[in-house]
Amino acid sequence: MEMVNEAETKSEAWELARELVRIDSSDPGAYEKEIGEFVYGWLRGRILEAGLEADERDEAGVGAESRPESACGGVAGNCKDAAESAESGAGRGAEGRASRGEVAAADRKNGKILLCRREALPGRYNVMARIPGEKPGPALTFICHMDTVMLGDGWDEARPALGAVTENGRLYGRGACDMKSGLACALTAFSGILKKVGQGVRPVRPLVFIGTVDEEDFMRGVEAAIRWGWATKRDWYLDTEPTDGQIQVAHKGRLWFELTMEGITAHASNPWKGADAIAAMAEAVSLIRRRIKDCPAHHDLGISTVTFGQIEGGYRPYVVPDCCRVWIDMRLVPPTDTAAAKRIMDEAVRTAEAEIPGVKGSYVVTGDRPYVEKDDQSPLLAALRRAALGVTGREAEVGSFNGYTDTAVIAGTLGNKNCMSYGPGSLELAHKPNESVPFEDVRRCGKVLGRLAEDVVFGN
C-alpha cells in the first residue's frame, strides 16, 4: 500500500469525520443522542462563526406523535398526507403553514438560519438546519443518517471500532464509510455556504441539512421527516452513502414477509399422525426461490433476489413439528412488484398445504419499500454530474444502489425523482470489522458537495 504522509491528509471534512467516528451511535446500542447533540452544537457554532443568527427550535422531550404540529412546523398524519400537502404547494416543515412564496418572503425578512431538533423516536432526534433563499425553491437538501450498525467483533487491536485510527491515508472505525465521512462532507459543505452568506453573498435558493435517526433499522427517522413535511416531493435530496465514486440514483424494492406453517404434533415414530410444519416450509421455500429466480431482469437494477434470513421451528428431534416460521427478504426489480410477490407467496402456501396434508400456511408483510428507477431528466442529477466533472475532470458514472437509503424512502413514498446518493468510500466495507474510508475519497466528495451547493444555492 502506498504510504501517505499524515500532513497531507488534512481537511475540515477529514478531521470532522474522525470526531464523528469516535462517537458511539450504534443502532442498536448507544443510538444517536450524543452524536445528535454534537451535530446540533456543531451547526450552531458554524452559524455563529459566520456572523449569522440561529433561529433555534429545540423540541427536547416532545414525542414525535405527542401533538399534531411542532415549533418546527410539520404536518400530522401519514406519509400520504405529507405528500399531498407538499404537492399542493402548502409545504410545511421548516416552512410552517405558509405557501412557498410567503416562506421566501419571510426568509428574506427574518434573515435567520433555522436550526431545529425534533424527536422522531423516544429520546432520538432528527436535526435540521435551513439557509433561506431569495426564491422559494426547490431547495437542495443533504440528508445523512447519524446512526451506525452495532460496533461488532473482529476489529484489529490497533484499530478499535471507536478509535478513529488513521493509517496510510485511511480512516478506520465503525461508520467510517457508512456514513460518518459522508456526514462530515455534507456538514462542511453546508458550513461553506454559511460562510459565504455571512460575507454578504445572497443565496438564491435554500440549502437544507437533515440528520436522521434509525436508518440502520427501520428508517423511522426519514419517515418522520416525510410526515413532518421536512421532505417534500418538490425539493432535491442527496444522501452521502458510500458509492465508490458513482452517482447512484436507482434502488431495488425491499419487501419483507413473515411466513408461518402450522402443522400437527405427533411422535416421530408415527409421523403419519401429525403434519410436519418444517417439511411444508421446505416446499414453500423451494418454490419461492424458483419463482424469484425466474423473474425478469431490469436493464439498470439487475435481477430480483430472495433471502431467507431467519427460521425457527420444532422443539425436539423426535417430535413432528407443529410450527415453523421464516423471515423473508425480497429485493425486487421492475416489473416484479408487491402484487407479483404476493402471488408467489400465495402459490407457495397452496403448494405446501397440498404436499403436506394437515398443514396450514399464512404470511404477513412486515416491510414494503417500492423500487426506484433512474430519471435521466432529473435536474439534480444534471447539477451533480456537472459538479463532479468540475472537481474531478471526468464524468461520474451513474449507477444503482444495492441497498435502500433515506433518499430511496423519500423517492418511493413521495414520487420525488430528484433523490440520489453520492458519498465517500465503498459499500463493500460497510458493516464489517475494520471498516474504513480513504482520505482521497473524503477530499473528493467534500469538494464535489461544496461545488454542488455553491452552484445550486447561488445560481451559478
Side-chain angles (χ1 to χ4, degrees), residues 223-295:
E223 288 178 338
I226 294 170
R227 187 168 62 248
W228 303 335
W230 287 15
T232 72
K233 184 174 182 178
R234 182 179 179 182
D235 293 330
W236 299 356
Y237 296 89
L238 180 68
D239 69 56
T240 53
E241 297 280 1
T243 61
D244 289 297
Q246 289 187 347
I247 300 169
Q248 297 183 339
V249 298
H251 301 261
K252 294 182 180 182
R254 190 184 73 183
L255 186 58
W256 289 346
F257 291 97
E258 182 180 314
L259 175 62
T260 301
M261 294 292 168
E262 296 182 357
I264 301 171
T265 189
H267 196 283
S269 62
N270 299 299
W272 56 87
K273 294 185 177 180
D276 191 329
I278 292 178
M281 186 63 78
E283 298 289 343
V285 165
S286 295
L287 185 140
I288 293 166
R289 286 187 68 253
R290 293 196 301 271
R291 293 294 181 266
I292 292 296
K293 185 178 179 181
D294 291 341
C295 289

Side-chain angles (χ1 to χ4, degrees), residues 35-357:
I35 196 170
E37 290 175 349
F38 178 93
V39 169
Y40 188 88
W42 191 94
L43 285 164
R44 183 201 295 118
R46 294 307 181 274
I47 292 169
L48 298 178
E49 285 178 10
L52 302 169
E53 188 175 352
D55 179 8
E56 294 192 56
R57 315 283 184 91
D58 188 355
E59 290 205 341
V62 178
E65 303 300 333
S66 62
R67 56 180 176 174
E69 294 190 2
S70 74
C72 301
V75 67
N78 58 29
C79 297
K80 182 174 182 290
D81 297 330
E84 291 174 349
S85 173
E87 179 64 11
S88 69
R92 303 232 191 1
E95 305 164 350
R97 289 184 176 276
S99 71
R100 289 186 176 272
E102 292 167 338
V103 167
D107 279 346
R108 290 193 296 271
K109 183 177 180 180
N110 185 6
K112 295 181 179 180
I113 309 301
L114 181 67
L115 180 59
C116 180
R117 176 165 54 188
R118 187 172 183 186
E119 193 174 35
L121 294 164
R124 302 169 69 181
Y125 294 79
N126 286 349
V127 176
M128 186 262 285
R130 184 176 188 275
I131 299 171
E134 294 289 315
K135 297 181 180 179
L140 172 62
T141 302
F142 296 132
I143 183 165
C144 307
H145 67 84
M146 301 181 293
D147 59 332
T148 71
V149 294
M150 293 185 296
L151 300 182
D153 300 321
W155 293 83
D156 291 349
E157 186 175 349
R159 300 168 179 169
L162 301 177
V165 172
T166 56
E167 180 181 318
N168 294 335
R170 299 189 75 91
L171 169 62
Y172 291 85
R174 177 57 74 220
C177 69
D178 187 13
M179 58 180 296
K180 290 183 175 179
S181 58
L183 171 59
C185 289
L187 285 169
T188 53
F190 190 89
S191 176
I193 301 300
L194 284 173
K195 292 176 184 177
K196 288 185 176 294
V197 173
Q199 293 165 358
V201 184
R202 300 174 69 87
V204 176
R205 288 170 55 180
L207 178 66
V208 179
F209 168 84
I210 299 175
T212 61
V213 302
D214 197 53
E215 193 272 350
E216 295 291 5
D217 197 3
F218 293 103
M219 296 183 165
R220 290 168 291 186
V222 69
E223 288 178 338
I226 294 170
R227 187 168 62 248
W228 303 335
W230 287 15
T232 72
K233 184 174 182 178
R234 182 179 179 182
D235 293 330
W236 299 356
Y237 296 89
L238 180 68
D239 69 56
T240 53
E241 297 280 1
T243 61
D244 289 297
Q246 289 187 347
I247 300 169
Q248 297 183 339
V249 298
H251 301 261
K252 294 182 180 182
R254 190 184 73 183
L255 186 58
W256 289 346
F257 291 97
E258 182 180 314
L259 175 62
T260 301
M261 294 292 168
E262 296 182 357
I264 301 171
T265 189
H267 196 283
S269 62
N270 299 299
W272 56 87
K273 294 185 177 180
D276 191 329
I278 292 178
M281 186 63 78
E283 298 289 343
V285 165
S286 295
L287 185 140
I288 293 166
R289 286 187 68 253
R290 293 196 301 271
R291 293 294 181 266
I292 292 296
K293 185 178 179 181
D294 291 341
C295 289
H298 185 267
H299 57 88
D300 282 331
L301 293 169
I303 62 171
S304 295
T305 62
V306 61
T307 299
F308 304 92
Q310 187 177 353
I311 190 168
E312 62 181 27
Y315 55 94
R316 287 291 186 273
Y318 46 81
V319 177
V320 174
D322 61 353
C323 186
C324 185
R325 185 171 290 110
V326 66
W327 285 264
I328 302 170
D329 181 309
M330 291 185 184
R331 304 295 169 124
L332 304 179
V333 305
T336 307
D337 57 9
T338 299
K342 286 182 176 180
R343 289 193 292 271
I344 293 172
M345 296 296 292
D346 289 335
E347 182 186 2
V349 168
R350 292 194 304 269
T351 299
E353 290 175 343
E355 289 293 326
I356 311 295

